[in-house]
Amino acid sequence: MIRTEFIQVDTRGYCDMLDLTPGVERLLTSSGLKEGSVLLFVPGSTAALTTIEYEAGALQDLRDAIERLAPTDITYAHDRRWGDGNGFSHVRAALLGAHLEIPVAGGRLIRGTWQQILLIDFDNGPRQRRVAIQLRGE
């Protein structure tokens, strides 16, 4: 079985972090998939997917680390060329990546107790993000 679904969310940008886990688990349950994997992909070049313990301290630590890696307050060649001020968001998204794959066994995502699926929107303004979810297996 291969089944493709979508989750649509509104984001605020500037490192807005959303927990996609409940939505992905609902799609998994409704699909009937027992063994296989769930692939997530966020189209666009200014958002990323990862996993983390979705609690305020860990989220702030991640925001701080990302700011140290690709600061918002420096000049980016992308900004000089396009003038849209979101060069930092492209770099951040490229560092984290646009996809994530999670194995499924017994109809459940294989993940740690405190491990949630995280969408991060790095762009410099609100966006409507559409995340593709592909369920694969039996």
Side-chain angles (χ1 to χ4, degrees):
M1 165 184 85
I2 297 177
R3 178 174 163 184
T4 303
E5 301 282 348
F6 297 90
I7 294 176
Q8 192 158 314
V9 295
D10 293 320
T11 65
R12 298 182 310 254
Y14 291 103
C15 218
D16 191 16
M17 298 180 173
L18 301 174
D19 181 3
L20 299 181
T21 312
V24 173
E25 287 178 333
R26 278 191 298 277
L27 289 173
L28 177 58
T29 299
S30 70
S31 75
L33 180 71
K34 298 299 179 201
E35 303 292 326
S37 65
V38 175
L39 173 69
L40 295 91
F41 179 79
V42 59
S45 60
T46 58
L49 294 164
T50 191
T51 63
I52 195 167
E53 180 177 346
Y54 194 79
E55 69 80 29
L59 297 177
Q60 188 59 53
D61 292 340
L62 182 56
R63 281 186 189 95
D64 293 346
I66 291 166
E67 182 63 31
R68 287 190 297 273
L69 287 172
T72 54
D73 62 352
I74 65 172
T75 302
Y76 289 86
H78 174 80
D79 297 337
R80 285 194 303 272
R81 180 176 174 121
W82 297 102
D84 53 6
N86 71 348
F88 67 93
S89 65
H90 291 280
V91 172
R92 291 172 175 196
L95 289 171
L96 264 71
H99 75 281
L100 182 65
E101 187 166 13
I102 302 170
V104 172
R108 299 180 56 103
L109 297 172
I110 298 176
R111 60 183 181 90
T113 303
W114 306 112
Q115 185 178 31
Q116 285 86 29
I117 301 166
L118 185 68
L119 167 71
I120 311 174
D121 189 337
F122 295 117
D123 218 338
N124 59 354
R127 297 284 181 261
Q128 193 171 68
R129 297 290 182 178
R130 188 172 184 227
V131 181
I133 315 291
Q134 195 169 72
L135 303 117
R136 302 179 294 184
E138 305 172 344

